[in-house]
Amino acid sequence: GEALAREYQAGTIYNHSLASFTAFFESLELIPPGVTDAVAWTPGSSGLPSPAHSDGRILVGVARKPRHMP
């Protein structure tokens, strides 16, 4: 975190656990590879995590609303 926060000034950075971030997608249909490190997210990839970063990581996920949801 802190090094990333010092470099990124365009908005607020929030620190969430993987479980907390993943819960955001609870009612949605995740697109493979699901929730993963930003550098590892490529459509159809395995979503393998990138090497550990000592100053934090950025999680991403892409999802869609299931067809049966209003």
Side-chain angles (χ1 to χ4, degrees):
E2 284 187 274
L4 179 61
R6 282 193 303 272
E7 292 181 33
Y8 185 77
Q9 299 296 318
T12 303
I13 295 176
Y14 297 96
N15 290 313
H16 297 283
S17 67
L18 175 60
S20 173
F21 183 77
T22 302
F24 174 79
F25 298 96
E26 197 169 88
S27 63
L28 303 171
E29 181 182 334
L30 279 166
I31 306 299
V35 173
T36 189
D37 285 338
V39 297
W41 203 102
T42 302
S45 74
S46 64
L48 296 174
S50 62
H53 300 285
S54 60
D55 58 352
R57 65 185 202 185
I58 297 174
L59 297 173
V60 297
V62 175
R64 63 179 161 225
K65 188 170 125 176
R67 295 176 196 249
H68 66 277
M69 286 183 73

